[in-house]
Amino acid sequence: AQSVTQPDIHITVSEGASLELRCNYSYGATPYLFWYVQSPGQGLQLLLKYFSGDTLVQGIKGFEAEFKRSQSSFNLRKPSVHWSDAAEYFCAVGAHTGTASKLTFGTGTRLQVTL
Amino acid sequence: NAGVTQTPKFQVLKTGQSMTLQCAQDMNHNSMYWYRQDPGMGLRLIYYSASEGTTDKGEVPNGYNVSRLNKREFSLRLESAAPSQTSVYFCASSEAPGGKSPLHFGNGTRLTVT
């Protein structure tokens, strides 16, 4: 079965600083990978996804993520953080097999942005 | 375009009471899901419906039942609520089942069981 680890529970960055949120996955084949963002009181919104091809994927709100097979990682990055980026971020991995949803979520990283 | 709509937004139950959480999507998606979110545990799948007419257990199904009423609606029922079911519940939908199709989430139902 697949699994996802987000090592950082809470991260604080200054507005305008760069951001990297870590995600490591465990899966036997090339996974489907996702990053979601959750603002307070809201559901999760898809930021970006990786299925195959170019290992650097662009998402909404200026986010990008890089798939590194050798490190089993899919870290989320943003060059310059805005105060509105404060939220909780979830990495998720999807499996290929079967017809059932096999999307497994990490435990999340809460991002705080200081002005 | 409403997307995924959940009702109610908040609910307080006493132990042993029952209730049904409602979910509807207007995106013509085939698959629908119920997750619960607890601090430090991420999202855990309770039940899902890969297509209209089918339902299957997820990771944490005990204490819950579901009904896929039609293609649009997928309800979650707690027959006898327990304090351990205090959580935030999210309904989601996707165009197709399987791990490739992104999920679209509702805004959640915050349930407290006393």
Side-chain angles (χ1 to χ4, degrees), chain A:
Chain A
Q2 70 268 30
S3 65
V4 179
T5 301
Q6 292 181 248
D8 304 305
I9 297 173
H10 185 223
I11 283 183
T12 300
V13 300
S14 300
E15 189 175 40
S18 63
L19 171 70
E20 183 170 30
L21 301 182
R22 296 184 289 166
C23 172
N24 293 99
Y25 69 89
S26 173
Y27 184 61
T30 300
Y32 303 132
L33 294 163
F34 306 83
W35 274 100
Y36 287 83
V37 60
Q38 184 182 29
S39 298
Q42 303 292 313
L44 281 71
Q45 179 185 18
L46 181 68
L47 278 177
L48 47 79
K49 60 186 183 287
Y50 172 78
F51 294 158
S52 63
D54 192 347
T55 56
L56 185 64
V57 293
Q58 303 297 321
I60 62 171
K61 304 185 182 188
F63 285 92
E64 66 179 25
E66 186 171 13
F67 171 60
K68 292 185 177 180
R69 184 191 305 275
S70 62
Q71 298 176 21
S72 297
S73 69
F74 188 57
N75 294 349
L76 182 71
R77 301 194 295 246
K78 186 169 186 178
S80 177
V81 169
H82 188 263
W83 63 267
S84 61
D85 293 324
E88 190 152 20
Y89 292 80
F90 292 91
C91 182
V93 59
H96 293 209
T97 58
T99 59
S101 171
K102 300 293 187 184
L103 199 62
T104 300
F105 286 86
T107 53
T109 297
R110 183 168 298 280
L111 174 66
Q112 183 177 357
V113 180
T114 58
L115 300 176

Side-chain angles (χ1 to χ4, degrees), chain A residues 36 38 43 51 90 99-101, chain B residues 33 37 48 90 97 100 103 106-107:
Chain A
Y36 287 83
Q38 184 182 29
F51 294 158
F90 292 91
T99 59
S101 171
Chain B
Y33 314 85
Q37 183 179 31
Y48 64 94
F90 286 99
K100 189 174 183 177
L103 300 180
N107 286 336

Side-chain angles (χ1 to χ4, degrees), chain B residues 20-79:
Chain B
T20 300
L21 281 65
Q22 307 286 353
C23 175
Q25 52 92 9
D26 62 2
M27 295 172 283
N28 201 36
H29 284 171
N30 290 300
S31 304
M32 297 185 74
Y33 314 85
W34 278 104
Y35 285 87
R36 60 178 288 172
Q37 183 179 31
D38 301 290
M41 303 193 73
L43 278 82
R44 293 180 292 170
L45 184 64
I46 305 171
Y47 270 94
Y48 64 94
S49 171
S51 61
E52 186 179 357
T54 69
T55 61
D56 284 288
K57 296 178 181 178
E59 183 184 354
V60 289
N62 291 345
Y64 306 96
N65 284 299
V66 291
S67 296
R68 183 76 183 265
L69 304 171
N70 47 57
K71 191 171 185 179
R72 290 187 61 248
E73 299 173 287
F74 187 41
S75 62
L76 177 72
R77 182 159 180 84
L78 286 69
E79 291 290 352

